[in-house]
Amino acid sequence: MTKSAPPLALPPGLSRAVATLPQKDWRRLDDAVTGLHTVNARLWDAEDRVRGASLTAAQVADCKREIDQLNAERNALAERADEVLGSLADAGRADAPLHTETLASVVDRLSVLTLRIWHSERAVERDELARRRVPALHRQREELNTAVDTLVADVVAGNRRLPVPARYKLYGREDAVEAEVRPSRQLQLGRVIAFGGLSECGKSTSAEFVRRMCGAQRLKIGYLIRQGAHRQGLADPYALSARRQAELLLGELNRFAEAHVDTRLFTIESVHDDASIAELKKLLDDRLQIVYLDAPFDVRVERSGMSAQAVAAKDEIKMGRGAHQVAALADHVIDNSASITSLRARLQRIAMPAPTVRLRVTTPYGLGLSAPVASATSDFVDTVRSHDQDVRLVALTGSPGEGAWVAGWSDLDLLVVAEQEATDQVIDALDRYRTTVRDVASLGITLVTPGELTARRLTPRLAFALHQLQHGQPVLHCAAGLELPTITRDDLARAAIRELPQVILTMRRLRAGAGPQMLRQLYKHLVLACRLLLREHGLWETSTDRILAAASRLPGLPAFRVPPLAEIATAWRDGTPERALKPVIAAVDDLLSWYAAQLAA
């Protein structure tokens, strides 16, 4: 609205009638009337500008288009107000005389009159005609207020009817009404994150992190608006209304999304105009998440490497556009004076929110464990379940979850998700569990906090375990409302690329010292390396024998002649590992040679 322009005061009789409406209707009416008055103020400014003597022909055309857009918004808001005001009428008097205009039309006239009085009062010192006009304008407003209250009383009493509120106005082309811009089908499948804040607050750094870590497409608001304006022949898009700027921005987002069908996440920066981003939020609803990055002035100066005067000057420009007011509209306000770790965790949760999950819960006796191991596992779960608010998840991952646990051979890979405050209790329970199963199984422990999961601070193996749980592997305990990051096969394929080098290096180290006592570790790393290679190739196998068989079919890799797992496990349990060691070493050598050849220059 025009700076310092007065708010619209409704006549007392209309205000009393409106106060009887249900709260939801009252809010709808308040939003519509406030918006109508705001648009009228912008219309006044636009009409003043278009009469300026210094405008070029292109600028005049832009102003005319802005006026058309504002008039369209004005009529839409008036119709919205009439939808509520019409409920004041008594539906039982169909024979009552018909009034010439709707209540919203009268409110619109009152809004324009209020603005005329304000502009005239500002001009009295330099314009004698304006000085003489002001008292008459005040009388007109008093008379209009009285007429409105009389009309409202008649309408409420059923003594007068209101006309149908539809205005059927056309703006722009005479033969068509410009279609409302809506999110395209492809954009509806994705999400948009808008970054705002003052100078040097971390907007670009945050957008780049989301692009790099979350696969977002990073876009600039100014570029998109200018592109949209160019398509429609507009010389200065920033002279348009906030709604029109938002529509130009959405139109370009639609075009980009339709041209990049594999992209589901977009970032736009930088939000310097609170009015246009508020309009874009109305168009996109929750598909748009507004993030406002905040940091004290001295922190921003220190990070920027610029002088305090330079940062202050940039702030002043941005605040003149309403950049600081974006905080009031933001879905997320981030204090960016803390650590980069904290910032990135917040950004991960915003960009890739973790949904609440429902996992399949079973007992240890349903996992194919031996009786002593199942009993010890059950005791551990019962102990930690008593801390339900702090211990969120307990699961045996790997072979127990896949129903392939082999006594005397397989590990017990335990995943516990618990708050940091519960660490001591969990460790005490783990010590008792480890002592009980020490002679029958090796216990491997992954202890992670819920915050680490939702911030996606995941190792490749933890990501794989979560993926398996989300696709049906059972858990032993799951607290209500648990949130877990969604892990896709694409995530696992990327993780395989990161994890495979470490597995290959470890396998070479084990091979260098290979003896009968190394059979178990060497075999497990052979299987893990093959599993990761298969993921890179888009192949997904679970059981160890099938993994090795599938890897043998990779291009150029000799077929493995490794005995089935059952034979290897039996040799290990019987204390004769040397029987299975030779074919395992041969398979390891073949795989290492093949891998080196694939990466040779």
Side-chain angles (χ1 to χ4, degrees):
M1 187 182 297
T2 303
K3 294 184 183 300
S4 303
L8 175 62
L10 296 180
L14 178 58
S15 296
R16 287 192 297 270
V18 166
T20 65
L21 294 171
Q23 188 175 37
K24 180 180 178 181
D25 288 344
W26 181 88
R27 287 178 178 171
R28 285 179 58 207
L29 178 63
D30 185 63
D31 288 345
V33 170
T34 301
L36 177 64
H37 192 51
T38 300
V39 166
N40 279 335
R42 290 176 177 169
L43 259 173
W44 193 291
D45 289 344
E47 289 168 350
D48 276 349
R49 288 200 312 275
V50 80
R51 289 188 287 268
S54 60
L55 293 184
T56 65
Q59 289 172 327
V60 170
D62 282 356
C63 280
K64 290 291 189 180
R65 292 187 185 97
E66 180 183 2
I67 289 169
D68 281 350
Q69 178 66 29
L70 288 169
N71 271 315
E73 292 178 34
R74 175 188 186 186
N75 281 282
L77 288 164
E79 288 185 4
R80 200 176 307 164
D82 268 327
E83 289 174 2
V84 180
L85 290 170
S87 65
L88 297 174
D90 186 340
R93 290 292 310 276
D95 59 339
L98 181 66
H99 193 62
T100 56
E101 59 183 340
T102 68
L103 282 173
S105 294
V106 183
V107 170
D108 179 60
R109 286 202 288 128
L110 184 60
S111 166
V112 173
L113 184 55
T114 300
L115 293 169
R116 183 173 292 117
I117 291 172
W118 183 76
H119 281 282
S120 297
E121 288 177 339
R122 294 180 69 197
V124 293
E125 292 184 2
R126 65 178 186 276
D127 188 337
E128 175 62 23
L129 179 61
R131 187 185 64 79
R132 294 199 304 268
R133 185 188 300 147
V134 167
L137 290 175
H138 278 286
R139 286 195 299 273
Q140 286 182 9
R141 184 167 60 181
E142 292 173 4
E143 291 170 355
L144 185 55
N145 281 341
T146 301
V148 170
D149 283 348
T150 301
L151 174 61
V152 169
D154 285 345
V155 166
V156 171
N159 296 325
R160 190 168 290 275
R161 288 185 297 123
L162 296 173
V164 175
R167 285 161 173 76
Y168 306 112
K169 296 272 188 168
L170 293 176
Y171 290 96
R173 286 166 47 194
E174 295 182 359
D175 59 340
V177 177
E178 184 175 348
E180 181 180 357
V181 181
R182 298 178 183 274
S184 68
R185 180 185 59 83
Q186 197 62 37
L187 191 60
Q188 289 179 30
L189 299 175
R191 300 169 68 244
V192 180
I193 301 175
F195 288 103
L198 295 179
S199 304
E200 312 304 327
C201 64
K203 299 183 293 295
S204 297
T205 300
S206 297
E208 178 59 20
F209 174 79
V210 174
R211 183 198 67 79
R212 182 164 47 87
M213 298 302 296
C214 306
Q217 180 65 53
R218 186 179 171 190
L219 302 168
K220 294 288 189 177
I221 291 176
Y223 172 78
L224 293 175
I225 290 180
R226 289 192 298 272
Q227 280 290 101
H230 178 72
R231 292 181 199 280
Q232 300 191 25
L234 302 174
D236 183 7
Y238 297 104
L240 301 175
S241 70
R243 177 72 175 200
R244 190 72 181 101
Q245 290 182 41
E247 290 179 341
L248 290 175
L249 183 53
L250 178 55
E252 292 305 303
L253 285 171
N254 283 340
R255 288 184 178 88
F256 196 93
E258 294 298 324
H260 300 78
V261 295
D262 293 331
T263 303
R264 292 289 184 270
L265 184 62
F266 307 87
T267 68
I268 56 176
E269 56 180 295
S270 299
V271 181
H272 294 155
D273 179 6
D274 60 316
S276 60
I277 199 64
E279 293 296 334
L280 186 63
K281 181 72 171 180
K282 294 177 184 177
L283 293 169
L284 282 172
D285 199 30
D286 287 340
R287 294 185 192 89
L288 172 65
Q289 292 291 292
I290 303 172
V291 177
Y292 186 86
L293 292 154
D294 196 16
F297 180 75
D298 57 339
V299 172
R300 294 188 285 117
V301 170
E302 181 180 355
R303 288 176 178 172
S304 70
M306 297 188 297
S307 67
Q309 292 82 357
V311 175
K314 293 176 68 176
D315 280 353
E316 185 175 355
I317 294 172
K318 290 178 171 61
M319 292 173 70
R321 300 170 182 163
H324 60 300
Q325 295 174 329
V326 174
L329 306 171
D331 300 284
H332 312 272
V333 177
I334 298 179
D335 178 5
N336 194 18
S337 62
S339 69
I340 191 70
T341 302
S342 172
L343 171 65
R344 288 175 173 176
R346 287 288 304 275
L347 293 174
Q348 281 277 17
R349 294 189 185 101
I350 293 167
M352 306 179 75
T356 301
V357 296
R358 295 185 64 183
L359 304 177
R360 184 163 68 92
V361 180
T362 188
T363 69
Y365 299 96
L367 298 179
L369 306 173
S370 64
V373 173
S375 177
T377 304
S378 181
D379 290 343
F380 171 79
V381 174
D382 288 342
T383 300
V384 297
R385 188 185 284 127
S386 62
H387 305 284
D388 182 69
Q389 293 303 312
D390 292 326
V391 179
R392 311 293 290 160
L393 176 72
V394 179
L396 282 175
T397 61
S399 56
E402 296 172 357
W405 190 78
V406 179
W409 171 264
S410 299
D411 294 326
L412 289 172
D413 296 318
L414 183 69
L415 170 62
V416 179
V417 179
E419 301 289 356
Q420 182 65 28
E421 293 76 11
T423 300
D424 290 343
Q425 297 95 317
V426 172
I427 290 175
D428 288 343
L430 283 171
D431 287 342
R432 293 191 293 273
Y433 185 24
R434 185 185 292 107
T435 300
T436 305
V437 302
R438 180 171 48 202
D439 296 333
V440 291
S442 175
L443 181 62
I445 301 163
T446 299
L447 181 56
V448 62
T449 66
E452 291 170 81
L453 295 185
T454 56
R456 299 183 76 91
R457 293 300 178 106
L458 312 174
T459 64
R461 296 193 189 189
L462 178 54
F464 178 69
L466 295 177
H467 178 269
Q468 296 298 84
L469 296 182
Q470 291 168 357
H471 287 79
Q473 280 198 10
V475 301
L476 302 174
H477 166 67
C478 180
L482 176 67
E483 295 179 344
L484 292 181
T486 300
I487 308 297
T488 66
R489 284 192 170 187
D490 287 343
D491 293 329
L492 295 183
R494 288 190 291 269
I497 297 173
R498 298 195 304 272
E499 186 179 14
L500 183 58
Q502 182 61 53
V503 174
I504 293 293
L505 292 176
T506 302
M507 193 159 55
R508 282 206 184 96
R509 176 175 56 79
L510 294 172
R511 173 65 182 90
Q517 75 282 359
M518 303 300 292
L519 170 65
R520 187 167 174 272
Q521 286 188 331
L522 199 58
Y523 178 83
K524 287 179 176 290
H525 278 78
L526 171 66
V527 173
L528 177 57
C530 289
R531 188 198 291 263
L532 296 175
L533 282 168
L534 290 174
R535 285 187 206 161
E536 273 200 79
H537 287 77
L539 302 173
W540 302 83
E541 294 288 354
T542 52
S543 70
T544 55
D545 292 335
R546 295 181 59 149
I547 288 171
L548 294 178
S552 295
R553 296 190 290 272
L554 290 176
L557 182 60
F560 298 138
R561 300 186 182 278
V562 179
L565 173 60
E567 292 184 22
I568 294 176
T570 299
W572 179 262
R573 286 196 304 267
D574 292 347
T576 57
E578 60 277 0
R579 289 186 322 181
L581 183 61
K582 185 175 179 179
V584 170
I585 289 178
V588 168
D589 288 343
D590 285 342
L591 180 62
L592 291 175
S593 297
W594 177 87
Y595 183 75
Q598 306 310 301
L599 303 182

